[in-house]
Amino acid sequence: MLKKDSVVIDVGANVGGHTVAFANTSPSGKIFAFEPSLDTYKILVRNTKKFKNVTTFQSAISEKTGMAYFYEAYDSGYSGLKNTGRKKISKVYTVPTISIDNLVKNKKLDRLDLIKIDVEGTEASVIQGARETIKKFHPIIMCEICDDSNSSQKTIDLIKSFGYKSHIIKEGKVESLVSYNPSYYNYLFIK
């Protein structure tokens, strides 16, 4: 779905698996990768340093710009601004946060093609901080939705309120989905 010049925001980039794929797919585009974990961020930088189209940030994306507690799990894939209780937390510290709306304004972006979100339970906060950007640019939203009965369907409903249709990625294919299904965690939202 991406083009050579696509603009992407990778929220919760971890070590850069998706970031590198986006950078290769859109070599003349711009990839903004966010990873708040101190140790994981160093790996992200190392994995993306050869790409001139990637800008990395050691901060979290949230509803607003400021500071927040970051819960670093022993398994970095489970770290986030919320302790989900799925993995043991090794340390807690504060990290800077920025909203996507503020990022888009600060970077003077005139387009956004894709937002990828993997934030372990704070997906709705990311979307709330991207309201104006979503209304203006209608980016594709690729979102891992944390299995949390209190917020999962609310996150899907929030994204759908912008006129998006929800899909799942199942065995490499995109299929329509009406409501949250805990069997899946990778969702795709298309306007």
Side-chain angles (χ1 to χ4, degrees), residues 1-7 22-31 53 111 113:
M1 294 183 195
L2 296 179
K3 298 178 178 149
K4 288 185 178 183
D5 64 344
S6 290
V7 178
F22 299 147
N24 280 319
T25 303
S26 302
S28 58
K30 294 178 185 173
I31 317 301
N53 60 336
R111 70 186 274 202
D113 301 293

Side-chain angles (χ1 to χ4, degrees), residues 18-181:
H18 284 94
T19 308
V20 168
F22 299 147
N24 280 319
T25 303
S26 302
S28 58
K30 294 178 185 173
I31 317 301
F32 300 95
F34 289 82
E35 177 52 52
S37 168
L38 298 169
D39 296 329
T40 306
Y41 178 76
K42 292 174 188 173
I43 300 169
L44 171 66
V45 170
R46 188 170 61 237
N47 288 342
T48 60
K49 69 181 175 185
K50 74 175 187 174
F51 296 99
K52 295 188 185 323
N53 60 336
V54 173
T55 305
T56 59
F57 301 85
Q58 189 178 348
S59 61
I61 295 288
S62 187
E63 189 170 341
K64 58 186 178 179
T65 299
M67 297 295 287
Y69 286 112
F70 184 74
Y71 299 86
E72 187 160 316
Y74 283 101
D75 180 335
S76 68
Y78 292 88
S79 300
L81 297 181
K82 172 181 169 181
N83 180 359
T84 63
R86 295 187 300 155
K87 294 288 180 177
K88 189 174 179 181
I89 300 301
S90 63
K91 55 189 163 188
V92 179
Y93 49 92
T94 57
V95 297
T97 64
I98 186 170
S99 71
I100 288 177
D101 286 343
N102 281 341
L103 173 75
V104 167
K105 183 179 176 182
N106 293 345
K107 295 294 180 184
K108 297 181 171 94
L109 298 182
D110 58 4
R111 70 186 274 202
L112 181 60
D113 301 293
L114 173 72
I115 301 171
K116 174 253 170 185
I117 305 167
D118 184 353
V119 292
E120 304 308 311
T122 59
E123 298 86 9
S125 178
V126 171
I127 297 301
Q128 290 288 0
R131 294 177 79 81
E132 296 307 313
T133 300
I134 292 169
K135 289 176 189 175
K136 183 175 182 181
F137 298 125
H138 313 292
I140 295 166
I141 301 171
M142 188 171 105
C143 184
E144 178 182 286
I145 296 182
C146 186
D147 185 13
D148 178 348
S149 60
N150 294 324
S151 66
S152 301
Q153 186 60 48
K154 289 178 184 174
T155 300
I156 292 170
D157 292 342
L158 174 61
I159 298 171
K160 287 172 70 174
S161 75
F162 293 100
Y164 281 72
K165 293 192 185 304
S166 60
H167 304 80
I168 55 165
I169 302 168
K170 182 178 176 186
E171 297 174 10
K173 296 182 181 174
V174 176
E175 295 182 12
S176 278
L177 184 74
V178 176
S179 61
Y180 175 69
N181 182 333

